[in-house]
Amino acid sequence: MQYDPIKRVLGDVFNKTPFLRRVFYNLLDLLLLRTWHVHKELRTWAAGRRDKEQHILDAGSGFGQYTYYLSGMSSKWNVLAVDVKEEQISDSNIFIRAIGRHNVLFRIGDLVQYREPDHYDLILSVDVMEHILEDVEVFRNFQASLRPGGMLLISTPSDQGGSDVHGDDETSFIEEHVRDGYNIREIEDKLRLAGFRKVEARYSYGKPGQISWRLSMKYPMLLLNTSKLFFVVLPFYYLVTFPFSLLLNWLDVNGKHPSGTGLIVKAWK
């Protein structure tokens, strides 16, 4: 299944006004379990830093919802968001200027080549590395671009079914993925190879999260990929499933999982 056509439709709908885009971001924050995990880690990192100048890179910014979240945490933080998709960068810059946030810039950039030595205190990469074949090169760029003591935060699928692949004869649910997911030791070793001095990784999307993902993301996306007419049905679908998804997301974020289809990885320079 391809996400890009659906993303374009969503972009056309929610880019009409800044209000609609904020609504879209709030919906993503509620529905996407990865956002719950990432926000939790960002709040932990932000403790004691909100009144200090910080330089942050959103590496693979997509719709820009994480840049929006970070830039709202402190006006003293400077956030650069890079992505390879020109349309999303343009839309995000228009939105961020419309709401008057001047500590943010969206820019087209290829992470395989992007490097700004000793500049960032935090680099965030959410659901990006599964799309990039040259991952070690990107990790080296991240390491070089961080200041000493700076942190890299990654959310990515694991090899425990993270792209909805559960056997050798299955293919990724999302066609844009170049790998079905990382083995937890594999990504730790690659980050150390890239020069990071300390790496921590844990599973997300345990049993509760896997059920939530199917209810809130997989089944709706399959319907929308079949016909855009399902946009009409979608609000009624979520009216029934949304309370269950919220509970399952809370259980996943507040539990520890021996295995899971997602990974939350932190690495320090």
Side-chain angles (χ1 to χ4, degrees), residues 115-121 142-148 269:
R115 180 180 291 206
E116 196 164 354
D118 298 319
H119 186 75
Y120 296 105
D121 302 286
F142 287 164
Q143 196 273 347
S145 298
L146 282 169
R147 292 174 173 174
K269 183 172 179 177

Side-chain angles (χ1 to χ4, degrees), residues 23 43-44 51 81 90 111 119 132 147 157-159 173 184 188 193 197 238 240 245-246 255:
V23 170
R43 288 192 297 268
T44 300
D51 294 328
S90 176
L111 296 178
H119 186 75
I132 301 176
R147 292 174 173 174
S158 81
D159 65 347
F173 171 66
I184 195 168
E188 289 176 336
L193 179 64
R197 63 176 175 82
Y238 278 121
V240 175
S245 296
L246 287 182

Side-chain angles (χ1 to χ4, degrees), residues 99-160:
I99 65 172
R101 291 195 184 173
H102 302 291
N103 60 333
V104 179
L105 176 65
F106 288 85
R107 182 189 299 167
I108 298 170
D110 182 351
L111 296 178
V112 178
Q113 300 175 353
Y114 182 83
R115 180 180 291 206
E116 196 164 354
D118 298 319
H119 186 75
Y120 296 105
D121 302 286
L122 172 71
I123 296 178
L124 176 66
S125 177
V126 180
D127 281 9
V128 173
M129 298 312 304
E130 63 271 23
H131 299 277
I132 301 176
L133 190 62
E134 307 91 334
D135 54 351
V136 175
E137 292 178 43
V138 174
F139 292 155
R140 288 193 176 110
N141 290 338
F142 287 164
Q143 196 273 347
S145 298
L146 282 169
R147 292 174 173 174
M151 187 181 83
L152 168 65
L153 174 60
I154 296 172
S155 171
T156 192
S158 81
D159 65 347
Q160 305 298 305

Side-chain angles (χ1 to χ4, degrees), residues 158-175:
S158 81
D159 65 347
Q160 305 298 305
S163 297
D164 212 32
V165 175
H166 304 279
D168 294 337
D169 58 338
E170 296 184 3
T171 58
S172 175
F173 171 66
I174 301 166
E175 294 178 10

Side-chain angles (χ1 to χ4, degrees), residues 180-199:
D180 295 331
Y182 281 100
N183 179 277
I184 195 168
R185 300 302 171 210
E186 172 197 6
I187 195 168
E188 289 176 336
D189 289 344
K190 285 185 174 183
L191 287 164
R192 292 190 179 98
L193 179 64
F196 286 92
R197 63 176 175 82
K198 180 183 176 184
V199 181

Side-chain angles (χ1 to χ4, degrees), residues 179-242:
R179 60 178 58 82
D180 295 331
Y182 281 100
N183 179 277
I184 195 168
R185 300 302 171 210
E186 172 197 6
I187 195 168
E188 289 176 336
D189 289 344
K190 285 185 174 183
L191 287 164
R192 292 190 179 98
L193 179 64
F196 286 92
R197 63 176 175 82
K198 180 183 176 184
V199 181
E200 293 179 2
R202 63 176 176 84
Y203 286 109
S204 59
Y205 287 80
K207 293 298 183 183
Q210 291 169 41
I211 299 170
S212 175
W213 177 74
R214 287 182 172 86
L215 283 175
S216 64
M217 293 301 298
K218 181 179 180 180
Y219 299 149
M221 289 298 167
L222 286 173
L223 291 173
L224 292 175
N225 212 54
T226 302
S227 172
K228 301 304 180 289
L229 292 175
F230 283 106
F231 271 107
V232 178
V233 180
L234 209 56
F236 302 99
Y237 172 87
Y238 278 121
L239 190 64
V240 175
T241 61
F242 186 61

